[in-house]
């Protein structure tokens, strides 16, 4: 049996469809009933028979920070584990919560996996856990993590989670780690990168020229499955289709939607000023900040990533980002 943690997230839900399509026996975790509806929505983008696919999954309500509920998740013969559960946030106030979920939660899943002697473990990490580029060169899996650099809380906790996964490899569990760039995919248009599509569709006017790696969610899950079905073990892989600016991404989305392109460029000074104003307002209103110091900094940085390692190992070719965006926009409009 295959276990997927975080089955109701962007990666988890798309992964589940591909696993079920191949007639695998699958168990997945979820935390609330309303999130299960998002999985059904994702499945509907693939097939007109989404409910029958959904019903083939054995769903177990569990929290990776609650060991009694995890014990039930690992009952029976679990052979492969895809660990997709994580907390993504650039808000400094969420740092302790991210440590709890991303590091301690991963440690719990690893401990049960070791105890059950599973065959292979796939961990969804992030390019945020990759070391910074040196002298403007392409960032690869070999870049060393620097504790002294200005890493934000999400980066630190994703790197800490990877350390727990490497611990499993020392305990005899075959592991693979994927480090996707910004993942673009349909079904979650009010959170994460899904907001790009909602905001541009609704006339968002601003853009930055920061650069990072982008990848389609379908490529992420296909690579994960290929790695788990291969003899490759104890390796990590950057998954990036293309390095693009946020300006390019927003402009492409606007063009596909036939909407006006964002027209106001936000530079470093303006971004710095905006996050400070937003911080001041949120301290009064107690609402979640729209922009934080970390997200503001990320929107301006120019980082370039290489996926040559996974391309060579699997002979894999990524879908162009323009094609990914067109399909997501069609799902959004449909």
């Amino acid at each position: 049996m295959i276990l997927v943690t975080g089955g109701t997230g962007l990666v988890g839900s798309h992964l589940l469809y591909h696993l079920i399509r191949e007639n695998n026996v699958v168990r997945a975790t979820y935390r609330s009933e309303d999130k299960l509806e998002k999985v059904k929505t994702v499945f509907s983008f693939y097939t007109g028979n989404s409910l029958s696919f959904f019903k083939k999954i054995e769903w177990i309500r569990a929290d990776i920070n609650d060991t009694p509920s995890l014990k039930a998740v690992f009952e029976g013969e679990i052979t492969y584990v895809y660990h997709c559960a994580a907390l993504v946030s650039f808000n400094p106030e969420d740092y302790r919560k991210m440590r709890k979920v991303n590091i301690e939660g991963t440690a719990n899943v690893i401990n049960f996996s070791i105890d059950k002697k599973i065959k292979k473990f796939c961990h969804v990490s992030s390019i945020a856990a990759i070391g910074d580029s040196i002298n403007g060169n392409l960032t690869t899996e070999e870049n060393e993590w620097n504790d002294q650099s200005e890493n934000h809380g999400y980066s630190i906790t994703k790197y800490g989670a990877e350390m727990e996964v490497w611990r499993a490899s020392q305990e005899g569990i075959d592991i693979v780690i994927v480090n996707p760039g910004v993942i673009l995919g349909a079904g979650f248009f009010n959170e994460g990168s899904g907001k790009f599509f909602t905001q541009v569709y609704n006339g968002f006017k601003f853009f930055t020229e920061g650069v990072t790696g982008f990848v389609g969610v379908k490529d992420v899950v296909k690579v994960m499955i290929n790695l788990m079905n291969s003899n490759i073990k104890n390796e990590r892989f950057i998954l990036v289709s293309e390095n693009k600016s946020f300006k390019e991404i927003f402009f492409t989305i606007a063009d596909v939607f036939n909407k006006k392109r964002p027209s106001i460029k936000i530079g470093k000074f303006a971004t710095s000023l905006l996050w400070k104003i937003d911080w001041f307002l949120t301290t009064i209103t107690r609402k979640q900040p729209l922009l934080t110091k970390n997200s503001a900094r990320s929107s301006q940085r120019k980082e370039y990533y290489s996926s040559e390692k996974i391309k060579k190992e699997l002979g894999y070719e990524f879908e162009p980002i323009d094609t990914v965006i067109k399909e997501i926009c069609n799902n959004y409009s449909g």
Side-chain angles (χ1 to χ4, degrees), residues 13-261:
S13 56
H14 284 268
L15 172 64
L16 285 172
Y17 173 79
H18 285 82
L19 290 173
I20 293 298
R21 188 181 64 177
E22 299 300 321
N23 296 315
N24 290 291
V25 179
V26 180
R27 176 182 291 169
T29 67
Y30 74 100
R31 294 185 62 191
S32 60
E33 295 288 342
D34 61 308
K35 291 189 175 182
L36 292 176
E37 294 303 314
K38 290 188 176 182
V39 180
K40 295 176 184 177
T41 299
V42 167
F43 284 14
S44 71
F45 297 141
Y46 289 100
T47 176
N49 200 18
S50 59
L51 190 58
S52 66
F53 276 76
F54 180 85
K55 288 181 177 179
K56 291 180 180 179
I57 302 165
E58 180 188 351
W59 290 98
I60 295 184
R61 191 166 189 162
D63 185 329
I64 60 174
N65 287 117
D66 180 55
T67 51
S69 67
L70 268 185
K71 184 177 181 181
V73 169
F74 277 87
E75 287 181 355
E77 187 177 351
I78 303 296
T79 51
Y80 298 96
V81 174
Y82 290 87
H83 182 43
C84 307
L87 176 60
V88 181
S89 175
F90 289 95
N91 187 347
E93 292 185 3
D94 290 334
Y95 177 61
R96 289 184 180 277
K97 190 184 297 182
M98 281 192 289
R99 287 195 66 88
K100 185 75 175 176
V101 175
N102 296 345
I103 300 178
E104 295 179 28
T106 297
N108 291 334
V109 176
I110 286 295
N111 290 338
F112 277 103
S113 297
I114 293 171
D115 184 62
K116 294 291 292 187
K117 296 181 172 60
I118 67 159
K119 293 181 179 179
K120 203 167 186 178
F121 188 101
C122 179
H123 174 63
V124 182
S125 186
S126 167
I127 53 172
I130 300 287
D132 295 334
S133 62
I134 301 173
N135 298 324
N137 295 324
L138 279 174
T139 300
T140 72
E141 294 82 357
E142 301 305 314
N143 283 59
E144 293 186 9
W145 176 263
N146 182 3
D147 285 333
Q148 305 305 314
S149 66
E150 294 183 339
N151 294 305
H152 50 73
Y154 178 64
S155 297
I156 295 169
T157 60
K158 291 302 284 186
Y159 178 77
E162 285 193 18
M163 294 302 99
E164 295 295 338
V165 178
W166 287 117
R167 174 171 62 85
S169 71
Q170 300 300 311
E171 297 285 344
I173 303 294
D174 292 344
I175 64 101
V176 286
I177 297 173
V178 293
N179 297 83
V182 177
I183 304 173
L184 302 177
F188 295 77
F189 294 114
N190 293 315
E191 57 190 84
S193 64
K195 287 184 178 179
F196 294 169
F197 297 86
T198 301
Q199 290 173 336
V200 173
Y201 187 86
N202 291 327
F204 192 67
K205 297 179 181 179
F206 306 97
F207 69 88
T208 70
E209 293 188 332
V211 177
T212 191
F214 291 85
V215 64
V217 69
K218 289 184 180 180
D219 281 328
V220 174
V221 301
K222 287 176 182 177
V223 169
M224 290 166 64
I225 293 171
N226 286 342
L227 284 172
M228 290 290 270
N229 291 336
S230 74
N231 293 322
I232 299 169
K233 63 180 181 179
N234 304 337
E235 296 281 354
R236 72 200 295 232
F237 298 92
I238 291 174
L239 307 186
V240 164
S241 171
E242 297 176 68
N243 296 292
K244 284 182 171 289
S245 68
F246 291 100
K247 173 185 175 180
E248 291 176 285
I249 296 296
F250 287 176
F251 279 19
T252 301
I253 294 172
D255 291 347
V256 176
F257 277 146
N258 197 26
K259 298 285 185 177
K260 187 176 180 179
R261 290 178 169 183

